[in-house]
Amino acid sequence: MKTIEIDDELYQYIAGQTQHIGESASSILRRLLAIETKELVIKPSNQLADISTLVKLVYSDNFLAEKKLVNRFISILSTLYLCNKSLFSVAAASLHGSKRRYLAKNEETLLRSGNNTKPKLIPDTPYMVITNSNTARKIYIIESLMQNMAISTHIIEQVTKQFVTK
Amino acid sequence: MKTIEIDDELYQYIAGQTQHIGESASSILRRLLAIETKELVIKPSNQLADISTLVKLVYSDNFLAEKKLVNRFISILSTLYLCNKSLFSVAAASLHGSKRRYLAKNEETLLRSGNNTKPKLIPDTPYMVITNSNTARKIYIIESLMQNMAISTHIIEQVTKQFVTK
DNA sequence: GAAATGATCGCGGGGATCTTTC
DNA sequence: ACGAAAGATCCCCGCGATCATT
């Protein structure tokens, strides 16, 4: 459970939507947001996405509309984290080059590990990635991560293939 | 202010709807619930798009995620065409500077009307726009178009305000 | 010498700023 | 001649190929 703060008026509005005595805020809000929330409700409670999310991503119009590989790179990383936070964290911790660290929660770590590493935040994630690398290295990073996260070879192939699609 | 308790999944969902860094829970919820309400109440015509499409666009995650003003510029133009093709065409025909033509169906027209006008195709549209201009001129172009399309001042203000959001 | 990794720097696009026109 | 509007040059910055290093 989490706690959020809302203004009094909004609170009254939500409370006014109660359908049975003792109904929880979550229950009311889920009903009000029903359309958007539907898919979320049927998912296992401790996982927000599965691997199909990753596959969908790399074939999506949005993804393919993005021409800059950095952005494709980062959105793949963001989705990988979403798929499995703990596996991602383990994989991220053991991924590095001879000098450079590739992923870290701390910008300093990445800055100190090399010159001009250009760390960027991975959205919806506590992690940052190094960005100053050529395409081959970006592929290496996502491939390594996926392998360490025990993602099937078939899916890894699809993702890397879509990654470089021009 | 009041505090409510919600489950983690729902919390994630709501947090994921954040449109601006630091946006409050109230703000997010109000938007989600307001849009929801509006859609239930207003559903009179069977048009493919109305002006609300434009408003939704400029508040959408996708739009705000795009930091380059050219791209915001072009997506607004694309939506304006979708909203009303004939009004758009009329407005486009009468919009130009002292030398430059701003919109045309023909690239040549735009190239010949000035130097380095950098015409770009407006997606889902038979039109092209010139792109080599500063922010003020881009605002001028969308403002003029919207005015000539008889869009309300209030909406024009919202669109131009969101356009330059950083 | 070859392969793997690092990081410099060339290239292109965006749009502020300078130039020109009205 | 002066200010405002419009045009378009060109600086800045990000991307990532290419070159340097291990």
Side-chain angles (χ1 to χ4, degrees), chain A residues 16-65:
Chain A
Q17 306 297 314
T18 301
Q19 281 189 353
H20 55 262
I21 293 168
E23 189 179 18
S24 71
S26 291
S27 167
I28 301 169
L29 280 173
R30 278 179 183 281
R31 185 175 58 252
L32 294 176
L33 301 171
I35 292 167
E36 285 88 348
T37 312
K38 212 176 292 171
E39 9 115 30
L40 205 56
V41 176
I42 55 176
K43 280 171 187 160
S45 63
N46 62 346
Q47 203 176 304
L48 289 170
D50 57 34
I51 293 299
S52 75
T53 312
L54 180 63
V55 178
K56 282 179 197 157
L57 173 76
V58 298
Y59 285 103
S60 72
D61 291 341
N62 268 357
F63 183 86
L64 296 171

Side-chain angles (χ1 to χ4, degrees), chain A residues 3-15:
Chain A
T3 319
I4 62 174
E5 268 203 343
I6 57 175
D7 63 74
D8 298 349
E9 196 187 310
L10 185 56
Y11 181 89
Q12 285 305 323
Y13 172 80
I14 293 170

